[in-house]
Each structure stands twice: as C-alpha cells, then as structure tokens.
C-alpha cells in the first residue's frame, strides 16, 4: 500500500472485557446474556459489538420460521417487550413437485419439519429488536464497522480485532477522508460472523480447529418478499417443497411463508445445496423458474415483488462442527455451523450457543482465583456446556438426514431415511454418515455435463438478475480496494472458464462475476463488479479453484435489507 507523507498511521485502541464480532442473533444474544449476568451479580463488564452492516439487521437474511425456545430463555417476557413475532404458524404444508403437479406429503408429528408453536418472522426486524434490547442493557454497538483483522498476543492467544482502514482509493492511495481502523482489545473475543465468516476461516487454520471434523457443506438461499392479492393471503401458512426444477441428485427446495403484517405479505425462497455437480446450474434462475410452477404462480399473480437477497447457509450439521474454543476466543452461531438442516432452522441454536458462551465467559471473568495460561482467556467450559445442552442433542439426532441424500435415490433417499430411521429411532441409530467432501470439489468438468436451458424472465413473476440486485439496496463505495480478491489472476480464464465454463458467472446471485470478450476479439477476461456484492459468500465456498478470497469491504457497504 502506498501512503503519502503526512497521513497519521496510528491506530486507536479501545479496551473491553468482551468484544463480539457480528450483530446477528448469536452475537446479540451473547451480548445480552453477558449484561444480564453482570446486572444480576452487580459487576461492571464492558461489552463491545462490531457489525459490518450500516444498521443492526441490515445484512440479516433468513426464511424465517423461528422456534422461540432460546428467546423464551433469554427474555421470558418477550411479548411484553414487543418482540416482532407477529405470525404464529397456523398451517404446515409439504410437497414434492413434478414439472406440472404437486404431490402432497403428510408431515407426521415428531418429524423435524413440524412447525407447530413456531413463528414466521422477518429476521432482520427481530435482530433490530435484539439490538435495541442489547443497547438498553448497556452493550456498546458499533454498526458500520467491519472487523478486518484478528489481533494476537505474543503468546499466540487472541488479543482482539481491528476494523479496516477507510478512505483508501482503489490503487491503495489515501483519500482526504482517510482514517485508520480501530483496534478493539478484549480478554475474550467472540466470533459470531455468520456462515463462512472470513475471520473464522483464518482461525480454523491458525488453531487447527477443523482437524477432527468433516468439511463444512453449504447451501445458497435466495429470497424475495412480495405483496400479494389479499384474497390469496393466508397469514400463518408455511409451505415447503422439494423436487422440480432440481433433479434428484441436487439437494434443495423451496419455502413460501404468509406473514401477518400490516399488508398482505409473503416471503418466498429457494435453497440449492452447493455440493451440486453441474457447472451450468444457476441457482438464481432455478428460483425464478420455480415461481412459474402451477402450485406457486397463482399466489403471486397480480402481486408486486418488493425485495430480493441471498445468503449462504451451513448444511454440514453435527459432523462438520469444528473445535469451538481457542486461547482468547470462541465461535458461536452459524459461524461454526450450528444449523439444524432438516428443520431449516439455525436461529434458536445460534442464540443458545451465544447464551452458553456468555455464561462460561462470565464465570471466568469474575473468578478471582483464575490461573490462565495465556493473556487471552481460553473458555473451554463453553464447548463442554454446549455438548451437555439441548442444542447438541438436537443436532446429533438429525445428523444423518442431509448426508443420506447422497445415495442413488438422491433427495428421495433422504426422505425415506428420515421416515424410517429418524421417525422411528429418533436419531439413535448407531452409525454416523459422512459428507462426500468439500462442496467446491463436487463440480464436474463442463464437457461431462449437459447445459441447462432456462426460460426468459417474463418481468411479472420471474425477473432478470440486475433488476433483482437493485431491490437488495446493495451499495459499496466505488473507489476502494477490491474486497473480492484473487490469489492468482490467471486462474479464472485458464482453469475455471476452460474446464468448468466459468461457474462463478452462474452461482453468484448478484452478477458480480462476468466473463467479457477481450478487445482483441480472442478469448475472455473475468470482470469483477464488486459493488453488486450482497455478502452471501457463495463465491468463496464454490469456486472450484479456491482462488477467490472474500474479505470485508469498508464498513456500512453491502445490502440494505429491510426485514429480510
């Protein structure tokens, strides 16, 4: 980086007891629980939370059906506090789609898909509310600050994090608005970055946290919000499907939730497992195509699409959970991957992990006889307590459902497995199935696959990519260093394009990656439209060459979701 004379290079440092990276359900629940415990024991604890979104909740995207178990533990009086859980589930439907019809599948009591007692929520609004509760308890929230670097003590333990420098031009020179990042030091740093966090990636390597677990497996979830004709609106209805338009060897499915808001609103979306094999598959276009199914389109006809977004989610489950603690820090929520995959729910487990982490951290902070081997505290009790909790039991019980989809029967094999082994044995079978390996390694060369013909969008039910990205509110300062970095600039053309026909131009749900013909008329180059990025992390996960490294842009950049 080139810096001109006269730029102040000092970084200001703040000292806290606990620093939390990420203002989602896990990070905020951890912050709240710490402050609750401090108040109960009459102790002063400084808790700082940094969040890369410009506002708490603006990068949150989920279905979402919320199981209120953890919320009830955190705030037994959540109703009186006005938590935005406006839509109790009243109706649960599940079906298998063929090209023209829908085969209903009964949801037996005790299956993971049962949503009785849950709430359909706009998770971004719920997270905003959690942020308000945290602030009222004295948590210091720093939205618009992106944690870009992990800081270490000389003894190897985590010292804290630093936010990125801002006001740097694309070429690395400082602008007039240049400011150094802020250092936040803590006795314990809690990493709650969500699925595939870029700091967690570094911690896995440094502390070898994935040594004893399987590679994480992922899906990409695409979502839209629509206002629909009031006559078709059924508040409280939850619908899920598998099958068309995906083949049986591609894991995925849809959701359609009717929200009870002030207007007739539905949330709908499509999830595709990122272990798919055909490089011609385009998750965004599969989603657009699905909306034209005869069982879906009538709900949307005459309606208006008001929002769009996408986010990667963890699908590895129990087998893919890494070691969660290390000197000076720990991992909570979707960062290590605590989602219950067949339930398609991770908010309740994320919140509980944050609460358990805080209870373990608090007992170390107030222990006057504590003999710590390192300056940063190693809170191993958190992992021990998580393993004794209902979270662990729940994830263990469903551990074989997602990997059972890798048989010759594909997704239907998974449904049969669920019906026989889960419904009868409740996850007590004495074996644990494995995932086939990392998602990026599952992609087949283009020459071995059939190109997929997608229908043109009609502009009423289905839409093109760029008009969709416009609805995400995504914005980045244009003149800043690229946050989508390539380890080797030659690989996209020499390998990804040559062998896999450039899958990044299809798997990215925001049109960030484009292969452009060279001016000479021969060959192509990869163009990266970083300002379109919705921070979903799919490229970092699915790039078959593992050449793309996603790092944080300037704080405040990215999507501006309103209650996604």
């Amino acid at each position: 980086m080139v810096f001109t004379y006269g730029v102040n290079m000092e970084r200001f440092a703040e000292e806290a007891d606990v620093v939390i990276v990420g203002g989602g359900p896990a990070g905020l629940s951890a912050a709240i629980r710490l402050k609750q415990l401090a108040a109960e024991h009459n102790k002063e604890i400084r808790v700082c939370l940094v969040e890369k979104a410009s506002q708490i909740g603006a990068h949150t995207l989920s279905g979402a059906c919320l199981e209120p178990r953890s919320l009830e533990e955190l705030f037994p009086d959540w109703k009186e506090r006005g938590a935005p859980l406006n839509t109790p589930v009243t109706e649960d439907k599940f079906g298998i789609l063929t090209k023209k019809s829908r085969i209903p599948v009964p949801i037996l009591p005790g299956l993971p898909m049962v949503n009785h007692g849950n709430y359909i929520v706009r998770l971004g609004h719920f997270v905003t509310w959690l942020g308000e509760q945290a602030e009222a308890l004295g948590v210091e929230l720093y939205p618009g600050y992106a944690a870009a670097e992990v800081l270490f003590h000389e003894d190897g333990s985590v010292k804290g994090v630093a936010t990125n420098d801002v006001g740097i031009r694309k070429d690395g020179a400082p602008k007039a608005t240049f400011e150094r990042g802020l250092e936040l030091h803590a006795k314990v740093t809690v990493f709650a970055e969500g699925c595939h966090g870029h700091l967690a990636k570094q911690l896995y390597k440094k502390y070898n946290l994935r040594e004893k677990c399987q590679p994480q497996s992922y899906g990409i979830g695409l979502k839209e919000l629509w206002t629909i004709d009031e006559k078709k609106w059924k508040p409280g209805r939850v619908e899920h499907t598998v099958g068309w338009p995906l083949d049986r060897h591609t894991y995925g499915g849809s959701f359609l939730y009717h929200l009870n808001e002030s207007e007739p609103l539905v949330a709908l979306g499509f999830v595709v497992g990122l272990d798919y094999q055909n490089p011609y598959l385009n998750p965004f276009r599969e989603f657009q195509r699905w909306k034209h199914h005869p069982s879906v389109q009538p709900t949307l006809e005459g309606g208006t699409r008001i929002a769009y977004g996408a986010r990667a989610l963890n699908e590895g489950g129990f087998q893919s959970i890494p070691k969660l603690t290390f000197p000076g820090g720990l991992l909570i929520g979707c960062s290590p991957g605590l989602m219950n995959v067949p339930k398609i729910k991770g908010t309740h487990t994320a919140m509980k992990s944050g609460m358990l982490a805080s209870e373990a951290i608090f007992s170390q902070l107030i222990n006057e006889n504590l003999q710590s081997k390192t300056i940063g505290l190693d809170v191993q009790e958190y992992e021990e307590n998580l393993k004794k909790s209902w979270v662990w039991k729940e994830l263990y019980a469903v551990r074989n459902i997602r990997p059972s989809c890798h048989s010759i029967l594909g997704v239907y094999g998974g449904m049969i497995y669920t019906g026989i082994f889960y419904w009868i044995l409740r996850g007590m079978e004495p074996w644990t199935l494995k995932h086939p390996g990392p998602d990026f390694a599952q992609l087949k060369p283009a020459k071995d696959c059939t190109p997929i013909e997608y229908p043109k969008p009609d502009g009423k039910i289905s839409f093109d990519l760029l008009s969709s990205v416009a609805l995400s509110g995504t914005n980045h300062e244009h003149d800043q260093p690229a946050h989508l970095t390539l380890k080797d600039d030659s690989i996209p053309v020499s390998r990804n394009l040559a062998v896999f026909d450039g899958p990044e131009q299809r798997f990215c749900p925001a049109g960030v990656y484009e292969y452009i013909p060279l001016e000479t008329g021969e060959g192509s180059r990869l163009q990266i439209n970083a300002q379109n990025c919705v921070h979903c992390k799919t490229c970092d996960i699915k790039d078959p060459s593992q050449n793309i490294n996603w790092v944080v842009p300037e704080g405040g950049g990215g999507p501006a979701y309103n209650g996604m």
Side-chain angles (χ1 to χ4, degrees):
M1 228 172 244
V2 190
F3 285 111
T4 48
Y5 177 73
V7 173
N8 179 15
M9 297 305 291
E10 280 300 299
R11 255 199 319 209
F12 186 68
E14 286 274 357
E15 301 289 334
D17 293 296
V18 180
V19 165
I20 298 168
V21 180
L28 288 165
S29 297
I32 287 165
R33 190 73 195 110
L34 270 168
K35 281 298 199 178
Q36 286 176 337
L37 289 163
E40 283 165 30
H41 292 81
N42 218 359
K43 298 278 184 197
E44 269 301 312
I45 288 186
R46 186 176 184 199
V47 181
C48 297
L49 183 149
V50 290
E51 163 55 47
K52 65 184 170 64
S54 58
Q55 293 173 307
I56 300 288
H59 286 183
T60 300
L61 182 141
S62 183
C65 252
L66 178 73
E67 190 172 308
R69 183 172 188 174
S70 299
L71 176 61
E72 279 161 2
E73 291 181 25
L74 189 63
F75 288 121
D77 60 344
W78 61 265
K79 283 183 180 160
E80 291 72 28
R81 287 172 175 265
L85 276 63
N86 308 324
T87 316
V89 175
T90 55
E91 195 184 349
D92 226 347
K93 298 173 85 174
F94 189 78
I96 299 170
L97 298 187
T98 62
K99 193 167 185 180
K100 292 277 181 253
S101 62
R102 180 182 178 279
I103 304 156
V105 175
I107 302 176
L108 302 169
L111 284 179
M113 300 74 130
V114 172
N115 277 300
H116 181 74
N118 296 337
Y119 291 82
I120 306 168
V121 297
R122 297 174 69 175
L123 196 68
H125 287 171
F126 176 66
V127 165
T128 303
W129 175 83
L130 278 177
E132 290 160 3
Q133 307 309 304
E135 215 153 21
L137 287 164
V139 176
E140 294 173 45
L141 300 180
Y142 294 95
Y145 285 81
E149 180 189 349
V150 184
L151 306 172
F152 298 97
H153 290 289
E154 282 179 11
D155 64 7
S157 62
V158 171
K159 182 182 189 175
V161 292
T163 65
N164 51 9
D165 299 342
V166 296
I168 302 170
R169 292 208 307 251
K170 259 190 175 155
D171 62 5
K175 304 178 198 171
T177 54
F178 174 79
E179 270 181 43
R180 286 282 347 237
L182 173 70
E183 290 195 7
L184 288 158
H185 302 165
K187 299 182 178 93
V188 183
T189 305
V190 177
F191 294 87
E193 298 173 280
C195 173
H196 204 70
H198 86 116
L199 297 181
K201 246 174 72 169
Q202 298 165 35
L203 294 165
Y204 292 147
K205 285 201 178 102
K206 180 168 173 75
Y207 297 111
N208 205 8
L209 302 176
R210 302 204 69 91
E211 182 185 19
K212 293 182 176 155
C213 71
Q214 290 177 36
Q216 186 57 266
S217 181
Y218 301 89
I220 177 173
L222 303 111
K223 178 183 174 180
E224 294 176 352
L225 284 178
W226 284 62
T227 52
I228 59 163
D229 178 347
E230 204 152 341
K231 295 195 251 337
K232 302 170 183 175
W233 182 41
K234 307 277 185 283
R237 178 186 283 181
V238 163
E239 299 183 52
H240 293 103
T241 70
V242 295
W244 187 86
L246 302 176
D247 64 26
R248 71 171 188 274
H249 294 298
T250 307
Y251 184 84
S254 76
F255 65 87
L256 178 60
Y257 302 154
H258 293 250
L259 288 144
N260 184 23
E261 301 270 325
S262 55
E263 53 187 342
L265 209 58
V266 293
L268 56 144
F270 204 83
V271 176
V272 178
L274 285 176
D275 57 354
Y276 69 81
Q277 298 177 338
N278 185 343
Y280 293 110
L281 187 139
N282 183 319
F284 172 80
R285 296 185 78 172
E286 296 291 350
F287 174 33
Q288 298 306 311
R289 171 155 79 157
W290 163 80
K291 289 186 287 179
H292 285 286
H293 192 271
S295 69
V296 181
Q297 184 164 332
T299 302
L300 304 178
E301 276 169 349
T304 307
R305 183 175 72 144
I306 58 170
Y308 165 80
R311 183 71 171 97
L313 49 137
N314 302 293
E315 291 189 343
F318 184 81
Q319 292 86 320
S320 302
I321 300 173
K323 185 174 187 308
L324 300 171
T325 63
F326 40 91
L330 46 83
L331 301 165
I332 61 172
C334 286
S335 171
L338 302 179
M339 187 170 115
N340 180 327
V341 185
K343 252 189 197 180
I344 344 174
K345 287 180 190 55
T347 306
H348 64 304
T349 48
M351 290 176 71
K352 182 63 175 173
S353 71
M355 291 150 67
L356 287 166
S358 289
E359 286 159 13
I361 290 166
F362 184 77
S363 69
Q364 283 215 11
L365 290 178
I366 62 167
N367 180 356
E368 287 163 9
N369 305 319
L370 184 70
Q371 301 284 312
S372 179
K373 290 181 186 155
T374 50
I375 303 172
L377 303 180
D378 193 355
V379 190
Q380 294 177 13
E381 296 76 17
Y382 155 57
E383 189 160 349
E384 291 158 20
N385 294 347
L386 190 71
K387 287 178 177 175
K388 291 177 199 155
S389 75
W390 55 259
V391 172
W392 209 255
K393 286 190 190 74
E394 186 178 308
L395 296 182
Y396 181 79
V398 298
R399 71 195 179 283
N400 286 330
I401 294 178
R402 171 71 176 92
S404 71
C405 296
H406 294 298
S407 73
I408 195 157
L409 297 173
V411 174
Y412 305 111
M415 290 174 72
I416 294 163
Y417 188 97
T418 308
I420 297 173
F421 292 107
Y422 184 79
W423 199 62
I424 295 165
L425 296 177
R426 289 289 188 270
M428 297 310 288
E429 65 267 32
W431 58 83
T432 295
L433 302 175
K434 286 191 166 170
H435 299 294
D439 291 340
F440 67 85
Q442 309 309 310
L443 215 53
K444 289 180 173 171
K447 66 177 173 51
D448 301 336
C449 297
T450 312
I452 301 171
E453 288 295 322
Y454 289 105
K456 275 199 163 66
D458 68 354
K460 294 184 189 119
I461 301 293
S462 51
F463 301 91
D464 65 31
L465 190 55
L466 291 180
S467 66
S468 302
V469 177
L471 287 179
S472 68
T474 297
N475 190 35
H476 293 87
E477 163 59 46
H478 185 69
D479 189 11
Q480 64 170 310
H483 73 278
L484 299 152
T485 61
L486 300 176
K487 296 173 191 166
D488 180 338
D489 288 348
S490 69
I491 282 191
V493 172
S494 67
R495 184 165 190 264
N496 287 14
L497 187 60
V499 180
F500 302 101
D501 199 58
E504 55 272 67
Q505 60 191 329
R506 299 186 193 91
F507 60 56
C508 171
V512 170
Y513 300 95
E514 266 186 287
Y515 281 94
I516 306 275
L518 289 171
E519 288 73 12
T520 57
E522 288 199 10
S524 305
R525 65 178 177 87
L526 180 67
Q527 177 169 303
I528 300 179
N529 308 311
Q531 67 276 15
N532 285 8
C533 176
V534 293
H535 298 202
C536 74
K537 312 292 177 69
T538 304
C539 56
D540 196 305
I541 295 163
K542 189 60 176 172
D543 174 10
S545 306
Q546 288 298 283
N547 186 46
I548 299 171
N549 186 37
W550 193 99
V551 298
V552 284
E554 284 191 3
Y561 297 139
N562 173 12
M564 289 288 271

